[in-house]
Amino acid sequence: MTPMEIALAEARAAAARGEVPVGAVVLDGGGAVLARAGNEVEARHDASAHAELLALRAAAALRGEVRLPDCELVVTLEPCPMCAQAASFFRVRRLVFGAYDPKGGGIEHGARVFDATSCSHRPEVVGGVREAEAGVLLRTFFASRR
């Protein structure tokens, strides 16, 4: 499985649990999976339990390190400002995301966290990877809630 396929599997699992279908995976410098997660906001009653934060925290704990400078974060949706800032704080080398989020994104839209003068680290960013597939997951999930 590719990293985005792993993230998409996590997103599907999140949707099956009634969570917004977002999945994330953290890879080490050699491409090995350190951590993977799907949203757990509802289950944890925690607005910060986004897939990205859960995966970054787990990867850092596994390594016993505060920062992940050789790592890559792959996520199915453009990270929100909170998660974009977390990627900066964790010092990830690269951030790859699927669907763009014009309403709540924090990288290409909205706050544009990495473009702020206060941002101390800007990872390499690649957006739109399997964008259509990630977008369908989200649209289907929200359509079923309306």
Side-chain angles (χ1 to χ4, degrees):
M1 284 175 93
T2 68
M4 186 56 79
E5 287 170 341
I6 295 169
L8 286 163
E10 289 292 333
R12 285 186 208 93
R17 296 188 306 269
E19 301 279 356
V20 173
V22 177
V25 61
V26 176
L27 309 165
D28 69 13
V33 174
L34 293 175
R36 55 193 285 174
N39 275 356
E40 294 186 20
V41 171
E42 302 300 327
R44 294 182 185 225
H45 307 288
D46 178 357
S48 73
H50 290 196
E52 302 96 306
L53 282 175
L54 297 174
L56 287 166
R57 288 173 180 157
L62 178 70
R63 293 178 109 185
E65 298 176 6
V66 175
R67 292 178 188 83
L68 304 167
D70 66 323
C71 293
E72 179 173 327
L73 171 63
V74 178
V75 60
T76 58
L77 179 65
E78 176 183 353
C80 71
M82 173 181 68
C83 293
Q85 191 64 59
S88 178
F89 287 158
F90 276 96
R91 305 284 196 271
V92 297
R93 178 184 59 78
R94 187 170 192 240
L95 190 153
V96 176
F97 67 87
Y100 289 86
D101 187 356
K103 185 175 177 181
I107 296 173
E108 300 289 331
H109 299 90
R112 297 180 185 262
V113 170
F114 300 144
D115 293 337
T117 57
S118 60
C119 183
S120 59
H121 173 76
R122 186 188 201 290
E124 174 190 347
V125 175
V126 178
V129 177
R130 306 227 2 212
E131 177 182 5
E133 188 174 350
V136 166
L137 268 174
L138 289 156
R139 284 189 298 279
T140 301
F141 176 82
F142 286 113
S144 72
R145 299 288 187 269
R146 292 184 182 116

